[in-house]
Amino acid sequence: MDSRNLKRITVFAGHYGSGKTNIAINYALKLKESFDKVTIADLDIVNPYFRTKDSMDILKEHSVKLISSPYANTNVDTPALPAETYSIFHDVDQIGIIDVGGDDRGALALGRYADYILKEGNYEFLFVINKYRYLTSDPQSTIQVMREIEEAAGMKFTGIVNNSNLGDETTAENVINSLEYADKVASLTGLNIKMTCAKDSLCDILKDKVDNLFPITLYVRQSWAKEN
């Protein structure tokens, strides 16, 4: 990870089940290797069963600050976000990672902070894509979801994260087979692929075949796995 090109705030958003939270957590832990103050904010007020708070212990162990709804991991599904979230925008000495809820409904929560992010102008807004998820299996459908999220958030994406996976069943071939799809999404949107994510156990196989490879070492159980 080249910290010279790092923006102070990185926002991850995408289709429900695309794997945003896994990426946000791993990204925060990676940044902590280079920066003293790293904060991750969980803006997911849509899905109370798949939250960054699930990994609060390991984040605390690595001194990564977590901001999340007080109702995360409870039976209360209340669209409440703590006032502390604003600290990400006021304290410019910290690196901020924001995990946004799925689809356009989840992106509405980001909309209340968009003016702060845009005013500072030191951010990446990354669209997480997964070829193997319903509604984003082809570039055209994926871009439709992308535009809906942008409209709800009041912000335009600045890059793409290819996180095409099948959970625990993901193979190196699955990742390789997603590259053409991701390249097409990038071509049609004019955005660069900032990262291609893969389980750390697959990275040795993929390192000479995939650009901007980002290993995922810590996994939060994905809620869509309950559907299978």
Side-chain angles (χ1 to χ4, degrees):
M1 182 181 298
D2 186 354
S3 60
R4 292 173 299 178
N5 298 319
L6 179 72
K7 302 298 185 180
R8 193 182 73 80
I9 295 175
T10 302
V11 183
F12 294 99
H15 176 47
Y16 171 78
S18 59
K20 303 175 302 299
T21 297
N22 277 329
I23 297 169
I25 292 170
N26 281 271
Y27 192 66
L29 293 173
K30 184 65 177 176
L31 289 177
K32 186 59 183 174
E33 296 176 4
S34 302
F35 298 93
D36 291 334
K37 296 177 66 176
V38 177
T39 299
I40 182 168
D42 182 352
L43 299 193
D44 192 348
I45 60 175
V46 176
N47 179 13
Y49 303 107
F50 184 40
R51 294 288 183 84
T52 313
K53 197 169 183 179
D54 294 339
S55 297
M56 62 186 304
D57 290 341
I58 193 164
L59 292 171
K60 183 177 181 180
E61 178 183 340
H62 288 80
S63 299
V64 174
K65 182 179 179 180
L66 169 64
I67 300 173
S68 67
S69 167
Y71 300 107
N73 287 356
T74 72
N75 293 325
V76 180
D77 190 13
T78 302
L81 292 168
E84 189 181 14
T85 304
Y86 288 98
S87 67
I88 287 185
F89 314 111
H90 298 322
D91 181 3
V92 296
D93 292 329
Q94 66 183 315
I95 301 296
I97 298 97
I98 300 176
D99 174 23
V100 179
D103 299 325
D104 53 339
R105 184 184 170 200
L108 287 171
L110 178 63
R112 71 183 68 176
Y113 307 109
D115 286 346
Y116 294 95
I117 297 171
L118 294 171
K119 182 178 180 180
E120 181 180 352
N122 190 5
Y123 70 94
E124 288 275 19
F125 186 24
L126 301 181
F127 182 46
V128 180
I129 62 175
N130 185 346
K131 170 184 170 68
Y132 303 110
R133 286 296 291 144
Y134 174 64
L135 293 183
T136 59
S137 59
D138 62 85
Q140 290 72 25
S141 299
T142 302
I143 293 170
Q144 181 178 345
V145 171
M146 172 184 170
R147 299 308 183 198
E148 291 169 353
I149 292 173
E150 288 181 329
E151 183 176 357
M155 295 173 53
K156 295 290 187 181
F157 284 104
T158 62
I160 294 169
V161 174
N162 179 14
N163 190 45
S164 296
N165 72 90
L166 292 166
D168 292 337
E169 299 178 3
T170 307
T171 65
E173 185 178 5
N174 294 141
V175 178
I176 292 169
N177 287 343
S178 75
L179 299 181
E180 183 178 355
Y181 152 84
D183 285 342
K184 185 65 173 179
V185 174
S187 175
L188 290 172
T189 60
L191 298 175
N192 293 327
I193 298 174
K194 300 290 186 175
M195 291 186 276
T196 295
C197 302
K199 294 188 295 185
D200 58 337
S201 59
L202 300 177
C203 286
D204 280 345
I205 301 172
L206 295 170
K207 63 183 179 181
D208 295 326
K209 302 175 182 178
V210 178
D211 294 330
N212 300 320
L213 187 63
F214 183 73
I216 302 293
T217 57
L218 171 71
Y219 273 83
V220 176
R221 176 176 172 78
Q222 302 213 48
S223 56
W224 56 262
K226 299 176 183 178
E227 302 167 5
N228 301 325

